[in-house]
Amino acid sequence: MHAEDQADRRLLDEIGEMLRVADPVPDHVRLAARSAVAWRRMNEGIAELLHDSASDAAEAAMAVRGTQHIRALSFQSSDGVLLELEITGQPVGHIVIGQIVPESEAIVTVRVGETERTAAADALGRFRIDDVPSGPMSVHCQLPDGRTIVTSWTSL
Amino acid sequence: MDRDDLGVILRAAADGNQQAWDTIVERFERLVWATVRGFRLSDEVSADIMQITWLKLVEKFDTIRDPERLGAWLATTARHECLKHLRVAGRAIPTDETEVFDRDDHRDSPALDAALLDQERDRALADAFLQISESCQELLRLLTADPPLAYEDIAEMLGRPVGSIGPTRARCLERLRAVLTTAGYTP
């Protein structure tokens, strides 16, 4: 190994040690991490994210340039139920407007961290939930036929 | 912890074993944190992204076929969430171009708490670190992550050729040395 490489290695070690001490993982972050395993969901199919306008750089840039800041998300369950969401308002107090396809009444709960907000979807499968905070979000829909749709976690 | 142990621990955590899960968190929290802190995000957003990374792992236990890849999976997931956050927030989207590493674009990087450092030299190093470009800071955080990431994984995360990581590393360290020297320290 060249002397230069050794010097670089030493400096990197110093940087690693400095960061470990000067930028520790906060205790509340570690505590939250330990509780994450409680969200393990047995026997519940997860509705996977199909599309997120925030994952598309061009679309995201357009949303920011426009007057409306709308983020569009869609999820699909393994048995084909589609959940479409439009999210407006930042950075706190988001409004979540949703549509269940095929249309169905449902009890819808938006979960963000410790906060839960619940609303009913109408016969056309439409719902609106206000005052949703930022953070890791999952949406839970209880359908009248007993089925439950739970979305994958997504950052809000 | 060797690879087989990690496989056993992963399976136990997937079955809801809290101790196994705590072991995973303890083992990889520095790596995930290093990845997230490479971006100019507030403490609150950094915490949220760290949490969603764990939640996604809990959701995807079944899909982790190779425990040896868990670190890279967590870091990649966390970085993806950071980029998504930046797009939603309408902030600068990092590009894959080399010029990014040459720009002097340090702005509100996550603060390092120099008060936690005993040695004056370490405080000088923290100061100097915050003065190099954001891209260099991110790369150096990834290169000093614990447990370490392979160059291949770092290159893939950054969307850069593997062969560019070594030279970029050298350039970033050179900048850091220059700042340290100006401040009166021998790097």
Side-chain angles (χ1 to χ4, degrees), chain A residues 1 4 7 13-14 19 32 53 60 72-73 79 81 90 120 133-134 143 146:
Chain A
M1 190 184 270
E4 195 179 313
D13 287 346
E14 270 190 79
L19 289 172
S53 57
L73 293 166
D79 55 357
V81 178
Q90 329 192 35
S134 291
L143 302 180

Side-chain angles (χ1 to χ4, degrees), chain B residues 18-55:
Chain B
Q18 182 69 49
Q19 262 183 314
W21 175 251
D22 289 352
T23 304
I24 292 172
V25 169
E26 197 180 319
R27 170 87 166 145
F28 291 101
E29 62 178 6
R30 288 294 318 159
L31 170 60
V32 177
W33 191 243
T35 307
V36 174
R37 297 295 269 177
F39 291 84
R40 293 166 295 157
L41 302 169
S42 69
D43 290 353
E44 204 180 8
V45 170
S46 300
D48 279 350
I49 290 177
M50 179 105 157
Q51 185 65 2
I52 202 158
T53 304
W54 298 122
L55 288 166

